[in-house]
Amino acid sequence: MDIEGMPESERRVILDQLEAGNSGAAKLVGGRLAGRATPDRPDVPIWEYRNYVAGHPEVALEELSTIRFPIVFYGGHESTVGSAADSLAPGPVPPTVPITLDDVIDLWTQLHAAGVVQWDCERRAVEHVRPLEDYRAVLTRWGVTLRHSTS
């Protein structure tokens, strides 16, 4: 398993096939199809982005939001690649509640605080260390809180 993402040549073939079958589909892809992990990404997890920016004034939070990092799922057999910016990208269905960069960082902070994810310094990757049900429980609580804060 290459947690950094699929080779660019393979990715391009799949994107071309998607686009041929449905014009505009390639713009909506995420995960591995959106691209490889950022090779020179800093050794900092997404839930620490605010602290990192506070200690590195030469770095903007918006800049960190575009950094793509590997995400290894529970059990370690599957992975994807993502960024905070990926979570903000418009999808085929608009969200019912607008989501900001702060919201995305807050979700990852809650996942980490709940012990669902941890940072793997060696691979510079987020690793899910608890089952999907635990992830879903935190996501649900986060979503309920988000909906209440915007109403």
Side-chain angles (χ1 to χ4, degrees):
M1 170 181 63
D2 179 4
I3 67 168
E4 297 291 322
M6 70 174 60
E8 183 64 12
S9 58
E10 182 180 333
R11 187 178 85 84
R12 291 296 335 154
V13 167
I14 294 169
L15 288 177
D16 290 346
Q17 290 171 343
L18 277 173
E19 195 61 29
N22 185 358
S23 180
K27 295 177 189 169
L28 301 175
V29 299
R32 293 173 167 281
L33 283 178
R36 294 184 58 80
T38 305
D40 56 349
R41 63 192 179 275
D43 183 14
V44 59
I46 187 171
W47 53 88
E48 291 290 333
Y49 279 5
R50 288 186 198 101
N51 292 336
Y52 187 83
V53 168
H56 296 84
E58 73 281 5
V59 178
L61 189 58
E62 292 72 24
E63 180 184 343
L64 284 178
S65 77
T66 64
I67 292 174
R68 294 179 51 76
F69 53 88
I71 303 166
V72 180
F73 297 120
Y74 180 70
H77 301 295
E78 294 182 33
S79 66
T80 191
V81 179
S83 71
D86 289 351
S87 300
L88 299 172
V93 178
T96 55
V97 176
I99 297 174
T100 67
L101 178 55
D102 281 334
D103 296 329
V104 173
I105 293 171
D106 182 57
L107 171 60
W108 283 101
T109 301
Q110 290 185 36
L111 288 166
H112 180 253
V116 174
V117 296
Q118 68 183 15
W119 183 245
D120 181 329
C121 292
E122 184 177 313
R123 300 189 292 180
R124 294 176 300 150
V126 170
E127 180 181 11
H128 286 247
V129 292
R130 304 246 317 259
L132 183 59
E133 297 77 36
D134 294 351
Y135 169 84
R136 286 182 180 145
V138 172
L139 183 64
T140 299
R141 284 193 306 272
W142 172 79
V144 167
T145 302
L146 182 65
R147 282 193 299 275
H148 288 307
S149 70
T150 60
S151 41

Short mmCIF file of all heavy atoms in Angstrom, two decimals, residues 29-79:
data_model
loop_
_atom_site.label_atom_id
_atom_site.label_comp_id
_atom_site.label_asym_id
_atom_site.label_seq_id
_atom_site.Cartn_x
_atom_site.Cartn_y
_atom_site.Cartn_z
N VAL A 29 -13.50 15.01 -8.00
CA VAL A 29 -12.84 13.89 -7.34
C VAL A 29 -12.14 14.34 -6.06
O VAL A 29 -11.76 15.50 -5.90
CB VAL A 29 -11.82 13.18 -8.26
CG1 VAL A 29 -12.51 12.60 -9.47
CG2 VAL A 29 -10.68 14.09 -8.63
N GLY A 30 -11.99 13.40 -5.16
CA GLY A 30 -11.27 13.65 -3.91
C GLY A 30 -10.34 12.49 -3.65
O GLY A 30 -10.15 11.61 -4.49
N GLY A 31 -9.77 12.47 -2.47
CA GLY A 31 -8.90 11.37 -2.06
C GLY A 31 -7.73 11.17 -3.00
O GLY A 31 -7.12 12.11 -3.48
N ARG A 32 -7.42 9.91 -3.27
CA ARG A 32 -6.27 9.56 -4.11
C ARG A 32 -6.38 10.13 -5.52
O ARG A 32 -5.39 10.48 -6.14
CB ARG A 32 -6.13 8.04 -4.21
CG ARG A 32 -5.75 7.39 -2.90
CD ARG A 32 -5.79 5.87 -3.06
NE ARG A 32 -5.16 5.22 -1.95
CZ ARG A 32 -3.85 5.08 -1.79
NH1 ARG A 32 -3.04 5.54 -2.70
NH2 ARG A 32 -3.35 4.49 -0.76
N LEU A 33 -7.61 10.21 -6.04
CA LEU A 33 -7.79 10.73 -7.40
C LEU A 33 -7.52 12.23 -7.50
O LEU A 33 -7.22 12.75 -8.56
CB LEU A 33 -9.19 10.42 -7.92
CG LEU A 33 -9.43 8.99 -8.38
CD1 LEU A 33 -10.87 8.81 -8.82
CD2 LEU A 33 -8.47 8.62 -9.50
N ALA A 34 -7.61 12.93 -6.37
CA ALA A 34 -7.34 14.37 -6.39
C ALA A 34 -5.85 14.67 -6.44
O ALA A 34 -5.45 15.78 -6.76
CB ALA A 34 -7.96 15.03 -5.17
N GLY A 35 -5.03 13.68 -6.14
CA GLY A 35 -3.58 13.88 -6.22
C GLY A 35 -2.84 13.20 -5.09
O GLY A 35 -3.43 12.71 -4.14
N ARG A 36 -1.53 13.18 -5.22
CA ARG A 36 -0.67 12.56 -4.22
C ARG A 36 -0.53 13.46 -3.01
O ARG A 36 -0.87 14.65 -3.05
CB ARG A 36 0.71 12.27 -4.82
CG ARG A 36 0.66 11.21 -5.93
CD ARG A 36 2.01 10.84 -6.48
NE ARG A 36 2.96 10.31 -5.51
CZ ARG A 36 2.97 9.06 -5.05
NH1 ARG A 36 2.08 8.21 -5.47
NH2 ARG A 36 3.90 8.68 -4.20
N ALA A 37 0.03 12.90 -1.94
CA ALA A 37 0.35 13.69 -0.75
C ALA A 37 1.41 14.73 -1.12
O ALA A 37 2.25 14.50 -1.99
CB ALA A 37 0.85 12.78 0.36
N THR A 38 1.36 15.88 -0.44
CA THR A 38 2.36 16.92 -0.65
C THR A 38 3.71 16.40 -0.18
O THR A 38 3.85 16.03 0.99
CB THR A 38 1.97 18.19 0.13
OG1 THR A 38 0.64 18.58 -0.26
CG2 THR A 38 2.95 19.31 -0.13
N PRO A 39 4.70 16.32 -1.05
CA PRO A 39 5.97 15.67 -0.68
C PRO A 39 6.74 16.39 0.43
O PRO A 39 7.34 15.74 1.27
CB PRO A 39 6.77 15.65 -1.97
CG PRO A 39 6.09 16.58 -2.91
CD PRO A 39 4.69 16.78 -2.43
N ASP A 40 6.71 17.71 0.45
CA ASP A 40 7.49 18.44 1.45
C ASP A 40 6.62 18.98 2.58
O ASP A 40 6.93 20.00 3.17
CB ASP A 40 8.26 19.58 0.77
CG ASP A 40 7.35 20.53 0.01
OD1 ASP A 40 6.16 20.20 -0.18
OD2 ASP A 40 7.81 21.60 -0.40
N ARG A 41 5.55 18.23 2.91
CA ARG A 41 4.65 18.68 3.96
C ARG A 41 5.35 18.69 5.32
O ARG A 41 6.23 17.88 5.58
CB ARG A 41 3.41 17.80 4.01
CG ARG A 41 3.68 16.34 4.34
CD ARG A 41 2.45 15.46 4.09
NE ARG A 41 2.74 14.07 4.40
CZ ARG A 41 3.29 13.21 3.57
NH1 ARG A 41 3.63 13.60 2.35
NH2 ARG A 41 3.53 11.97 3.94
N PRO A 42 4.97 19.62 6.19
CA PRO A 42 5.59 19.68 7.51
C PRO A 42 5.13 18.51 8.39
O PRO A 42 4.09 17.91 8.13
CB PRO A 42 5.11 21.02 8.07
CG PRO A 42 3.84 21.30 7.35
CD PRO A 42 3.98 20.67 5.99
N ASP A 43 5.89 18.22 9.40
CA ASP A 43 5.56 17.16 10.35
C ASP A 43 4.62 17.72 11.41
O ASP A 43 5.00 17.92 12.56
CB ASP A 43 6.85 16.60 10.98
CG ASP A 43 6.58 15.44 11.93
OD1 ASP A 43 5.46 14.90 11.90
OD2 ASP A 43 7.48 15.10 12.71
N VAL A 44 3.41 18.02 10.98
CA VAL A 44 2.41 18.59 11.89
C VAL A 44 1.03 18.07 11.49
O VAL A 44 0.66 18.12 10.33
CB VAL A 44 2.47 20.14 11.89
CG1 VAL A 44 2.22 20.70 10.52
CG2 VAL A 44 1.52 20.73 12.90
N PRO A 45 0.28 17.55 12.47
CA PRO A 45 -1.07 17.08 12.16
C PRO A 45 -2.04 18.24 11.98
O PRO A 45 -1.82 19.34 12.50
CB PRO A 45 -1.44 16.25 13.38
CG PRO A 45 -0.62 16.80 14.49
CD PRO A 45 0.65 17.30 13.86
N ILE A 46 -3.09 18.01 11.28
CA ILE A 46 -4.08 19.04 10.98
C ILE A 46 -4.65 19.66 12.25
O ILE A 46 -4.92 20.86 12.28
CB ILE A 46 -5.19 18.49 10.04
CG1 ILE A 46 -6.11 19.62 9.58
CG2 ILE A 46 -5.91 17.33 10.67
CD1 ILE A 46 -7.09 19.21 8.49
N TRP A 47 -4.80 18.90 13.31
CA TRP A 47 -5.37 19.46 14.54
C TRP A 47 -4.39 20.40 15.26
O TRP A 47 -4.76 21.10 16.18
CB TRP A 47 -5.87 18.38 15.49
CG TRP A 47 -4.87 17.32 15.82
CD1 TRP A 47 -3.95 17.33 16.83
CD2 TRP A 47 -4.70 16.08 15.14
NE1 TRP A 47 -3.21 16.19 16.80
CE2 TRP A 47 -3.65 15.39 15.79
CE3 TRP A 47 -5.33 15.47 14.05
CZ2 TRP A 47 -3.21 14.14 15.38
CZ3 TRP A 47 -4.89 14.23 13.65
CH2 TRP A 47 -3.85 13.57 14.30
N GLU A 48 -3.15 20.46 14.80
CA GLU A 48 -2.14 21.37 15.36
C GLU A 48 -1.84 22.56 14.44
O GLU A 48 -0.93 23.33 14.70
CB GLU A 48 -0.84 20.61 15.64
CG GLU A 48 -0.95 19.63 16.79
CD GLU A 48 -1.09 20.31 18.14
OE1 GLU A 48 -0.61 21.46 18.29
OE2 GLU A 48 -1.70 19.71 19.04
N TYR A 49 -2.60 22.70 13.35
CA TYR A 49 -2.31 23.76 12.39
C TYR A 49 -2.31 25.14 13.03
O TYR A 49 -1.45 25.96 12.73
CB TYR A 49 -3.30 23.72 11.22
CG TYR A 49 -3.01 22.71 10.15
CD1 TYR A 49 -1.96 21.79 10.27
CD2 TYR A 49 -3.78 22.64 9.01
CE1 TYR A 49 -1.71 20.86 9.27
CE2 TYR A 49 -3.53 21.71 8.00
CZ TYR A 49 -2.50 20.83 8.14
OH TYR A 49 -2.25 19.91 7.16
N ARG A 50 -3.27 25.44 13.87
CA ARG A 50 -3.33 26.78 14.48
C ARG A 50 -2.08 27.05 15.32
O ARG A 50 -1.49 28.13 15.25
CB ARG A 50 -4.58 26.93 15.32
CG ARG A 50 -5.85 27.05 14.51
CD ARG A 50 -7.05 27.36 15.42
NE ARG A 50 -8.28 27.06 14.76
CZ ARG A 50 -9.01 25.96 14.96
NH1 ARG A 50 -8.63 25.05 15.81
NH2 ARG A 50 -10.14 25.79 14.29
N ASN A 51 -1.67 26.07 16.12
CA ASN A 51 -0.46 26.22 16.95
C ASN A 51 0.78 26.37 16.07
O ASN A 51 1.69 27.14 16.38
CB ASN A 51 -0.28 25.04 17.89
CG ASN A 51 -1.34 24.99 18.96
OD1 ASN A 51 -1.94 26.00 19.31
ND2 ASN A 51 -1.58 23.81 19.49
N TYR A 52 0.83 25.61 14.98
CA TYR A 52 1.97 25.67 14.07
C TYR A 52 2.10 27.07 13.48
O TYR A 52 3.19 27.64 13.43
CB TYR A 52 1.81 24.61 12.97
CG TYR A 52 3.02 24.49 12.07
CD1 TYR A 52 4.10 23.71 12.45
CD2 TYR A 52 3.06 25.14 10.84
CE1 TYR A 52 5.22 23.59 11.62
CE2 TYR A 52 4.16 25.02 10.01
CZ TYR A 52 5.24 24.24 10.41
OH TYR A 52 6.33 24.13 9.58
N VAL A 53 0.99 27.62 13.02
CA VAL A 53 0.99 28.96 12.43
C VAL A 53 1.41 29.99 13.48
O VAL A 53 2.17 30.92 13.17
CB VAL A 53 -0.39 29.29 11.83
CG1 VAL A 53 -0.52 30.76 11.48
CG2 VAL A 53 -0.65 28.43 10.60
N ALA A 54 0.97 29.83 14.71
CA ALA A 54 1.34 30.77 15.78
C ALA A 54 2.85 30.78 16.00
O ALA A 54 3.43 31.82 16.30
CB ALA A 54 0.61 30.41 17.07
N GLY A 55 3.50 29.63 15.83
CA GLY A 55 4.94 29.53 16.01
C GLY A 55 5.76 29.72 14.75
O GLY A 55 6.99 29.75 14.80
N HIS A 56 5.09 29.83 13.61
CA HIS A 56 5.75 30.00 12.31
C HIS A 56 5.04 31.11 11.54
O HIS A 56 4.23 30.85 10.65
CB HIS A 56 5.72 28.69 11.50
CG HIS A 56 6.47 27.59 12.11
ND1 HIS A 56 5.93 26.77 13.09
CD2 HIS A 56 7.73 27.15 11.92
CE1 HIS A 56 6.84 25.87 13.45
NE2 HIS A 56 7.94 26.09 12.76
N PRO A 57 5.35 32.37 11.87
CA PRO A 57 4.64 33.48 11.24
C PRO A 57 4.81 33.56 9.72
O PRO A 57 4.02 34.22 9.05
CB PRO A 57 5.22 34.73 11.92
CG PRO A 57 6.46 34.28 12.61
CD PRO A 57 6.36 32.81 12.82
N GLU A 58 5.79 32.85 9.19
CA GLU A 58 5.99 32.86 7.74
C GLU A 58 5.00 31.93 7.02
O GLU A 58 4.94 31.92 5.79
CB GLU A 58 7.44 32.45 7.40
CG GLU A 58 7.76 30.98 7.60
CD GLU A 58 8.02 30.54 9.05
OE1 GLU A 58 7.87 31.35 9.97
OE2 GLU A 58 8.35 29.36 9.25
N VAL A 59 4.22 31.18 7.80
CA VAL A 59 3.26 30.23 7.22
C VAL A 59 1.84 30.71 7.52
O VAL A 59 1.52 31.07 8.65
CB VAL A 59 3.46 28.82 7.81
CG1 VAL A 59 2.45 27.84 7.25
CG2 VAL A 59 4.88 28.32 7.55
N ALA A 60 0.98 30.70 6.50
CA ALA A 60 -0.43 31.08 6.67
C ALA A 60 -1.29 29.82 6.84
O ALA A 60 -0.99 28.78 6.26
CB ALA A 60 -0.90 31.87 5.46
N LEU A 61 -2.34 29.95 7.61
CA LEU A 61 -3.25 28.82 7.83
C LEU A 61 -3.84 28.34 6.49
O LEU A 61 -3.97 27.14 6.27
CB LEU A 61 -4.36 29.24 8.79
CG LEU A 61 -5.28 28.14 9.30
CD1 LEU A 61 -4.48 27.04 10.00
CD2 LEU A 61 -6.32 28.70 10.23
N GLU A 62 -4.15 29.27 5.61
CA GLU A 62 -4.70 28.91 4.30
C GLU A 62 -3.70 28.08 3.49
O GLU A 62 -4.09 27.20 2.73
CB GLU A 62 -5.12 30.16 3.53
CG GLU A 62 -6.32 30.88 4.12
CD GLU A 62 -6.00 31.63 5.43
OE1 GLU A 62 -4.82 31.97 5.67
OE2 GLU A 62 -6.93 31.84 6.21
N GLU A 63 -2.42 28.38 3.66
CA GLU A 63 -1.37 27.61 2.99
C GLU A 63 -1.35 26.18 3.51
O GLU A 63 -1.28 25.22 2.75
CB GLU A 63 -0.02 28.28 3.21
CG GLU A 63 1.15 27.60 2.56
CD GLU A 63 2.47 28.28 2.91
OE1 GLU A 63 2.47 29.43 3.37
OE2 GLU A 63 3.51 27.62 2.72
N LEU A 64 -1.41 26.03 4.83
CA LEU A 64 -1.43 24.68 5.43
C LEU A 64 -2.67 23.91 4.98
O LEU A 64 -2.62 22.69 4.83
CB LEU A 64 -1.41 24.76 6.95
CG LEU A 64 -0.10 25.10 7.62
CD1 LEU A 64 -0.28 25.19 9.13
CD2 LEU A 64 0.98 24.08 7.26
N SER A 65 -3.77 24.62 4.78
CA SER A 65 -5.02 23.93 4.42
C SER A 65 -4.92 23.19 3.10
O SER A 65 -5.66 22.24 2.86
CB SER A 65 -6.18 24.92 4.39
OG SER A 65 -6.16 25.70 3.21
N THR A 66 -4.00 23.60 2.23
CA THR A 66 -3.88 22.94 0.92
C THR A 66 -2.91 21.75 0.94
O THR A 66 -2.81 21.02 -0.05
CB THR A 66 -3.40 23.94 -0.16
OG1 THR A 66 -2.09 24.39 0.18
CG2 THR A 66 -4.36 25.11 -0.27
N ILE A 67 -2.21 21.57 2.04
CA ILE A 67 -1.25 20.47 2.13
C ILE A 67 -2.00 19.15 2.21
O ILE A 67 -2.85 18.94 3.08
CB ILE A 67 -0.31 20.65 3.34
CG1 ILE A 67 0.59 21.86 3.08
CG2 ILE A 67 0.49 19.39 3.62
CD1 ILE A 67 1.46 22.25 4.24
N ARG A 68 -1.67 18.27 1.27
CA ARG A 68 -2.33 16.95 1.22
C ARG A 68 -1.48 15.95 2.00
O ARG A 68 -0.28 15.87 1.81
CB ARG A 68 -2.50 16.52 -0.24
CG ARG A 68 -3.48 17.45 -0.97
CD ARG A 68 -3.67 17.10 -2.42
NE ARG A 68 -4.00 15.71 -2.66
CZ ARG A 68 -5.20 15.16 -2.45
NH1 ARG A 68 -6.19 15.88 -1.98
NH2 ARG A 68 -5.41 13.89 -2.71
N PHE A 69 -2.12 15.23 2.91
CA PHE A 69 -1.44 14.27 3.77
C PHE A 69 -2.13 12.92 3.70
O PHE A 69 -3.34 12.84 3.45
CB PHE A 69 -1.40 14.78 5.22
CG PHE A 69 -2.76 15.17 5.76
CD1 PHE A 69 -3.58 14.23 6.37
CD2 PHE A 69 -3.21 16.47 5.65
CE1 PHE A 69 -4.83 14.59 6.86
CE2 PHE A 69 -4.45 16.84 6.14
CZ PHE A 69 -5.27 15.89 6.74
N PRO A 70 -1.38 11.84 3.92
CA PRO A 70 -2.00 10.51 3.92
C PRO A 70 -2.89 10.33 5.15
O PRO A 70 -2.60 10.86 6.23
CB PRO A 70 -0.81 9.55 3.99
CG PRO A 70 0.38 10.36 3.59
CD PRO A 70 0.08 11.76 4.02
N ILE A 71 -3.96 9.58 4.96
CA ILE A 71 -4.86 9.19 6.04
C ILE A 71 -4.97 7.67 5.97
O ILE A 71 -5.47 7.12 4.98
CB ILE A 71 -6.24 9.83 5.88
CG1 ILE A 71 -6.11 11.36 5.81
CG2 ILE A 71 -7.18 9.40 7.00
CD1 ILE A 71 -7.37 12.07 5.33
N VAL A 72 -4.45 6.99 7.00
CA VAL A 72 -4.46 5.53 7.03
C VAL A 72 -5.64 5.10 7.88
O VAL A 72 -5.78 5.50 9.05
CB VAL A 72 -3.14 4.98 7.63
CG1 VAL A 72 -3.16 3.46 7.66
CG2 VAL A 72 -1.94 5.51 6.84
N PHE A 73 -6.51 4.29 7.31
CA PHE A 73 -7.72 3.86 8.00
C PHE A 73 -7.44 2.78 9.04
O PHE A 73 -6.40 2.10 8.98
CB PHE A 73 -8.79 3.40 7.00
CG PHE A 73 -9.24 4.51 6.09
CD1 PHE A 73 -9.08 4.42 4.73
CD2 PHE A 73 -9.81 5.67 6.61
CE1 PHE A 73 -9.48 5.44 3.89
CE2 PHE A 73 -10.22 6.70 5.77
CZ PHE A 73 -10.06 6.58 4.40
N TYR A 74 -8.37 2.62 9.95
CA TYR A 74 -8.26 1.63 11.03
C TYR A 74 -7.95 0.25 10.45
O TYR A 74 -8.57 -0.18 9.49
CB TYR A 74 -9.56 1.59 11.83
CG TYR A 74 -9.55 0.62 12.96
CD1 TYR A 74 -8.77 0.86 14.09
CD2 TYR A 74 -10.30 -0.53 12.92
CE1 TYR A 74 -8.75 -0.03 15.15
CE2 TYR A 74 -10.30 -1.42 13.97
CZ TYR A 74 -9.52 -1.18 15.08
OH TYR A 74 -9.51 -2.07 16.12
N GLY A 75 -6.99 -0.40 11.01
CA GLY A 75 -6.55 -1.71 10.54
C GLY A 75 -5.33 -1.61 9.64
O GLY A 75 -4.62 -2.59 9.44
N GLY A 76 -5.08 -0.43 9.08
CA GLY A 76 -3.87 -0.18 8.30
C GLY A 76 -3.82 -0.77 6.92
O GLY A 76 -2.79 -0.71 6.26
N HIS A 77 -4.93 -1.31 6.41
CA HIS A 77 -4.91 -1.94 5.08
C HIS A 77 -5.35 -1.01 3.96
O HIS A 77 -5.11 -1.30 2.79
CB HIS A 77 -5.78 -3.19 5.08
CG HIS A 77 -5.35 -4.20 6.08
ND1 HIS A 77 -4.14 -4.86 6.02
CD2 HIS A 77 -5.95 -4.63 7.22
CE1 HIS A 77 -4.02 -5.67 7.06
NE2 HIS A 77 -5.09 -5.54 7.80
N GLU A 78 -6.02 0.08 4.32
CA GLU A 78 -6.49 1.02 3.31
C GLU A 78 -6.12 2.43 3.72
O GLU A 78 -5.98 2.73 4.91
CB GLU A 78 -8.01 0.92 3.15
CG GLU A 78 -8.48 -0.41 2.60
CD GLU A 78 -9.99 -0.44 2.41
OE1 GLU A 78 -10.57 0.62 2.09
OE2 GLU A 78 -10.57 -1.51 2.58
N SER A 79 -5.96 3.30 2.73
CA SER A 79 -5.62 4.68 3.02
C SER A 79 -6.19 5.58 1.92
O SER A 79 -6.65 5.11 0.89
CB SER A 79 -4.11 4.85 3.11
OG SER A 79 -3.51 4.61 1.85
#
